[in-house]
């Protein structure tokens, strides 16, 4: 699903810092849908005591995406992590809070984070990974290319699924022009 | 060679000893290899280097020449094992004296046999920078499949280079090794049999 088909939402949206009050709801997502949160759950769901450390391990910046329908409500989490300043790369991650289709909000949240990253640091490339059943609103956007494809990498729901690594080339990717 | 008992015709695997770690430290910080290996030019303390050598490691062995005096050729390791999904990452490195000799790749072959023998991994992955991929010319291409190329990922020697992700599939490996692998495993079992 690309941004051409899932445009950024036109509803008011914002990124806000993660607070202590978010840890409970975020832990519930990790417990219920670990397959969608590789960074935190790739070695299994952490204990509640470990969760806070795992949530922030290697993180450069992360925010709650909030969408307004009169009142701002959290719909997802976007993170910038595993920064390699020597080689000017970092990794992006999106965790949707679901249920409900908020692809436009996720697209907007990711674009706001990439713009934040571009204004804050001189990264050349941003990577993100997806599992076959996940997709990403950034796939199909100019400047976003698949650079690795691991067949049958992750076991979930009775079968193995592929894992892909995608790269955003910041010389070709223009979040400013995509943000309405 | 005392220890694991994984012995090939030209190279063998044995336990990685403290003196090997000191040798690797000197090699990794040397002018010839310093910027090519994983440190990329950094010079950690000996203690930090040792810790990084064992971080998330499942198994690690020294590669030595089988013929006495069993000279140290390099090191091979498996790390970031994901038993749930049936895969792990492996690495191999040769010291400067054996760069391009194919001996370290021979040791990696023994190690891959060992990994597939000891654990039910479906496949193994490895990373290589494009400027190091020549080392794998001694390996059979049928066993190594490139599943990823992270373009211009890492700086080395004045420009950015691609990082390659390689895959070794158990079924392909075992089919390719065939009788040689079966014979080697039989010898391993004979050596490890009591009495």
């Amino acid at each position: 699903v690309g941004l051409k088909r899932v445009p950024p939402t036109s509803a008011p949206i914002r990124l806000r810092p993660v607070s202590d009050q978010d840890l409970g709801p975020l832990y519930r997502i990790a417990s219920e849908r670990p397959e969608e949160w590789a960074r935190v759950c790739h070695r299994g769901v952490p204990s509640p005591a470990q969760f806070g450390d795992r949530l922030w391990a290697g993180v450069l910046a992360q925010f709650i995406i909030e969408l307004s329908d009169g009142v701002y409500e959290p719909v997802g989490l976007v993170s910038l992590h595993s920064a390699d300043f020597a080689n000017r790369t970092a990794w992006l991650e999106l965790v949707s809070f679901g249920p409900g289709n908020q692809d436009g909000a996720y697209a907007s949240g990711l674009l706001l984070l990439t713009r934040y990253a571009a204004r804050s640091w001189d990264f050349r490339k941003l990577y993100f990974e997806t599992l076959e059943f996940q997709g990403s609103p950034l796939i199909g956007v100019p400047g976003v290319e698949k650079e690795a494809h691991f067949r049958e990498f992750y076991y979930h729901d009775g079968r193995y699924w592929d894992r892909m690594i995608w790269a955003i080339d910041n010389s070709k990717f223009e979040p400013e022009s995509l943000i309405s | 060679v005392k220890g694991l008992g994984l012995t090939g015709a030209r190279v063998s695997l044995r336990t990685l000893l403290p003196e090997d770690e000191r040798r690797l430290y000197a090699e990794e910080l040397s002018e010839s290899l310093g910027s090519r290996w994983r440190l990329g030019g950094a010079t950690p303390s000996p203690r930090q280097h040792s810790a990084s050598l064992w971080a998330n490691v499942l198994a690690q062995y020294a590669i030595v020449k089988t013929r006495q005096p069993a000279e140290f050729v390099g090191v091979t390791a498996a790390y970031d094992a994901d038993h749930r999904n049936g895969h792990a990452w492996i690495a191999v490195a040769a010291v400067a004296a054996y760069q391009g000799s194919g001996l370290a790749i021979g040791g990696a072959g023994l190690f891959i046999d060992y990994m597939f023998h000891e654990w039910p991994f479906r496949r193994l992955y490895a990373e290589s920078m494009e400027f190091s991929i020549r080392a794998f010319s001694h390996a059979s291409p049928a066993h190594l499949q490139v599943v990823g190329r992270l373009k211009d990922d890492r700086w080395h020697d004045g420009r950015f280079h691609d990082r390659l992700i390689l895959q070794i599939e158990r079924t392909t490996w075992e089919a390719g090794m065939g009788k040689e692998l079966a014979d080697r495993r039989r010898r391993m079992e004979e050596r490890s049999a009591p009495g």
Side-chain angles (χ1 to χ4, degrees):
Chain A
V1 179
L3 279 181
K4 286 175 186 167
R5 279 184 286 164
V6 180
T9 180
S10 57
I13 191 166
R14 68 184 183 190
L15 301 184
R16 67 154 173 84
V18 179
S19 69
D20 286 345
Q21 286 72 41
D22 295 312
L23 291 182
L26 288 171
Y27 185 71
R28 173 171 290 183
I29 290 164
S31 303
E32 293 176 352
R33 292 184 283 130
E35 69 279 1
E36 295 184 26
W37 205 344
R39 180 173 63 85
V40 167
C41 300
H42 79 290
R43 292 186 183 277
V45 179
S47 71
Q50 294 169 322
F51 178 69
D53 288 343
R54 195 85 70 86
L55 178 66
W56 288 102
V59 165
L60 185 61
Q62 65 185 346
F63 299 99
I64 301 287
I65 308 170
E66 287 193 328
L67 180 67
S68 173
D69 184 18
V71 178
Y72 279 103
E73 295 287 345
V75 296
L77 175 77
V78 282
S79 309
L80 188 67
H81 64 94
S82 303
D84 178 347
F85 286 105
N87 294 298
R88 294 164 54 209
T89 62
W91 288 71
L92 279 177
E93 183 185 63
L94 165 71
V95 176
S96 66
F97 290 177
N101 186 345
Q102 298 286 3
D103 281 352
Y106 305 146
S108 295
L110 283 164
L111 290 174
L112 287 171
L113 182 63
T114 55
R115 183 174 71 177
Y116 179 87
R119 290 178 177 180
S120 304
W121 301 281
D122 185 22
F123 290 122
R124 297 178 304 115
K125 292 180 80 179
L126 298 176
Y127 294 112
F128 63 94
E129 66 174 85
T130 59
L131 289 167
E132 193 179 346
F133 54 81
Q134 281 178 308
S136 166
L138 292 179
I139 296 169
V141 176
V144 179
E145 299 286 341
K146 184 170 72 175
E147 294 197 341
H149 194 132
F150 303 75
R151 304 275 176 203
E152 298 176 343
F153 187 87
Y154 185 86
Y155 195 82
H156 170 63
D157 198 19
R159 56 165 281 204
Y160 284 99
W161 301 80
D162 295 358
R163 173 194 180 215
M164 281 73 77
I165 296 176
W166 305 81
I168 301 172
D169 179 343
N170 277 350
S171 69
K172 300 173 185 166
F173 182 77
E174 296 175 347
E176 298 281 3
S177 67
L178 296 166
I179 294 171
S180 54
Chain B
V1 176
K2 192 175 179 181
L4 182 67
L6 264 178
T7 306
R10 299 177 70 200
V11 291
S12 299
L13 304 182
R14 65 152 170 75
T15 306
L16 194 72
L17 302 170
E19 54 263 37
D20 300 325
E21 288 192 24
R22 288 192 287 274
R23 173 76 182 273
L24 285 169
Y25 181 73
E27 292 275 348
E28 287 201 67
L29 271 59
S30 70
E31 189 173 341
S32 57
L33 295 179
S35 67
R36 295 175 64 86
W37 281 13
R38 63 198 173 102
L39 299 179
T43 60
S45 73
R47 186 174 294 181
Q48 288 172 321
H49 174 263
S50 178
S52 72
L53 200 60
W54 291 99
N56 296 322
V57 162
L58 176 66
Q60 179 156 245
Y61 290 103
I63 304 168
V64 297
K65 289 174 90 170
T66 298
R67 185 175 293 178
Q68 292 300 325
E71 291 162 41
F72 184 76
V73 170
V75 62
T76 185
Y79 61 100
D80 284 353
D82 182 345
H83 295 288
R84 180 190 183 283
N85 294 302
H87 43 75
W89 292 75
I90 62 166
V92 59
V95 297
Y98 291 107
Q99 290 276 309
S101 69
L103 290 178
I105 293 298
L110 290 172
F111 187 65
I112 292 165
D113 287 350
Y114 170 79
M115 292 300 297
F116 282 141
H117 187 66
E118 293 294 322
W119 288 277
F121 290 121
R122 297 181 301 122
R123 57 178 64 115
L124 302 171
Y125 294 106
E127 284 188 348
S128 174
M129 297 309 297
E130 59 176 346
F131 51 78
S132 297
I133 198 67
R134 285 192 304 279
F136 291 91
S137 62
H138 295 275
S140 166
H143 297 145
L144 282 177
Q145 184 187 355
V146 177
V147 297
R149 175 182 286 270
L150 307 187
K151 292 172 193 159
D152 295 334
D153 180 75
R154 196 167 298 172
W155 183 267
H156 168 67
D157 198 18
R159 70 176 182 90
F160 286 103
H161 295 261
D162 294 355
R163 176 155 52 120
L164 304 179
I165 300 170
L166 310 164
Q167 172 184 293
I168 302 146
E169 188 87 31
R170 170 189 285 275
T171 50
T172 311
W173 178 263
E174 292 185 340
M177 294 301 286
K179 185 173 180 303
E180 183 184 343
L181 180 60
D183 288 348
R184 191 184 296 158
R185 286 189 177 169
R186 194 187 68 249
R187 288 197 299 274
M188 281 169 60
E189 283 160 11
E190 285 171 359
R191 274 196 295 271
S192 62

